[in-house]
Amino acid sequence: MTRIKRIPCGMVNCYLLTGKDGAVLVDTGETGYEEKILEACAGKNVRLIMLTHGHIDHIQNAAYLARELKAPIGMNEKDLALKQNQFAQPLSGTGIFGKILESASKKKMKKNQIEDFTPEIFLKEGDTLESYGIEASVLELPGHTEGAIGLEVDGQAVIVGDALMHMLRPGMACIFGDREKLRESAGRISALGSRTIYYGHGSPTKNRSWKQGNFC
């Protein structure tokens, strides 16, 4: 059985997934939360750092944590360019809240820097993380970014990155690179049925407590 620990880092969540043979850290948050994440990971034998996508609020501590934890970094190859150029992919918002998020995100992308890192592992649909000590498989969930990925964990939970968000209410991300692909990814998550959804932003909920097509 894989245990999931949510690590709130301001507006962003990181997750520590722990099994009997090791642990995986999902996302790394922003500068200022490094020590909190390291404390959560202490003694857990973190064997992989998995990035759900390439936006700064999810990858800014990746290089530092990889050094401290002596763990490789894994992500989807389609998001590789984002670690050097946050504007390598389009980003748009819908609705008033979405436009506010779009503006705030782009300001952060312009202002803040990301220490460079080299992923050792490129993750794709169907890859399992058993060799890193947990029962989970990779889901490709494009739309927010081209290379967005998540994890289906033990058939009981789904870590969705920013394919869905729980901010004003649970729903599809209101900022995205490709709206139609995002809809498809959201529909795929919904079709998984009874699962607990762990968001990149906001507290967990049961699957289908959000409404497909209901943008911020």
Side-chain angles (χ1 to χ4, degrees):
M1 183 70 177
T2 300
R3 297 181 297 278
I4 302 175
K5 177 181 176 62
R6 178 186 172 209
I7 311 171
C9 297
M11 294 292 290
V12 182
N13 294 318
C14 302
Y15 294 98
L16 183 65
L17 280 59
T18 307
K20 68 176 183 178
D21 297 319
V24 173
L25 176 65
V26 179
D27 288 335
T28 67
E30 299 175 279
T31 299
Y33 293 94
E34 306 96 319
E35 298 307 317
K36 179 178 183 178
I37 297 167
L38 280 178
E39 183 178 348
C41 293
K44 300 299 185 182
N45 186 23
V46 174
R47 299 173 61 187
L48 176 69
I49 297 170
M50 185 192 115
L51 305 176
T52 60
H53 61 289
H55 284 158
I56 188 170
D57 51 340
H58 294 258
I59 72 169
Q60 195 171 22
N61 292 323
Y64 174 80
L65 291 172
R67 284 195 302 273
E68 294 296 314
L69 295 170
K70 296 180 173 58
I73 297 170
M75 65 187 297
N76 188 285
E77 191 171 11
K78 293 176 183 176
D79 270 11
L80 189 59
L82 286 172
K83 72 185 183 69
Q84 293 182 318
N85 176 12
Q86 288 284 286
F87 295 91
Q89 296 182 24
L91 185 67
S92 301
T94 187
I96 295 174
F97 188 60
K99 292 297 184 183
I100 292 171
L101 277 182
E102 177 190 350
S103 176
S105 296
K106 288 180 175 178
K107 286 179 181 177
K108 183 180 296 183
M109 290 171 177
K110 288 178 181 177
K111 180 181 178 181
N112 297 320
Q113 295 184 339
I114 299 168
E115 182 182 353
D116 196 21
F117 59 88
T118 301
E120 297 181 36
I121 300 150
F122 289 121
L123 298 168
K124 62 184 184 306
E125 177 74 26
D127 286 345
T128 71
L129 301 189
E130 291 180 7
S131 61
Y132 302 101
I134 66 169
E135 298 291 329
S137 58
V138 175
L139 302 172
E140 293 191 19
L141 301 171
H144 184 68
T145 65
E146 292 178 15
I149 56 176
L151 286 176
E152 186 173 10
V153 185
D154 280 342
Q156 302 295 321
V158 186
I159 294 176
V160 300
D162 286 0
L164 305 175
M165 293 182 178
H166 185 187
M167 298 185 82
L168 295 179
R169 60 179 179 269
M172 285 188 289
C174 49
I175 53 175
F176 46 81
D178 187 315
R179 186 171 182 172
E180 290 309 310
K181 286 184 179 179
L182 185 66
R183 287 185 185 278
E184 291 172 6
S185 293
R188 184 181 184 196
I189 295 166
S190 179
L192 291 172
S194 180
R195 301 284 192 279
T196 300
I197 302 297
Y198 291 87
Y199 305 88
H201 301 273
S203 57
T205 67
K206 293 297 183 182
N207 199 7
R208 303 190 184 187
S209 63
W210 57 277
K211 294 182 179 179
Q212 187 176 351
N214 189 14
F215 279 77
C216 299

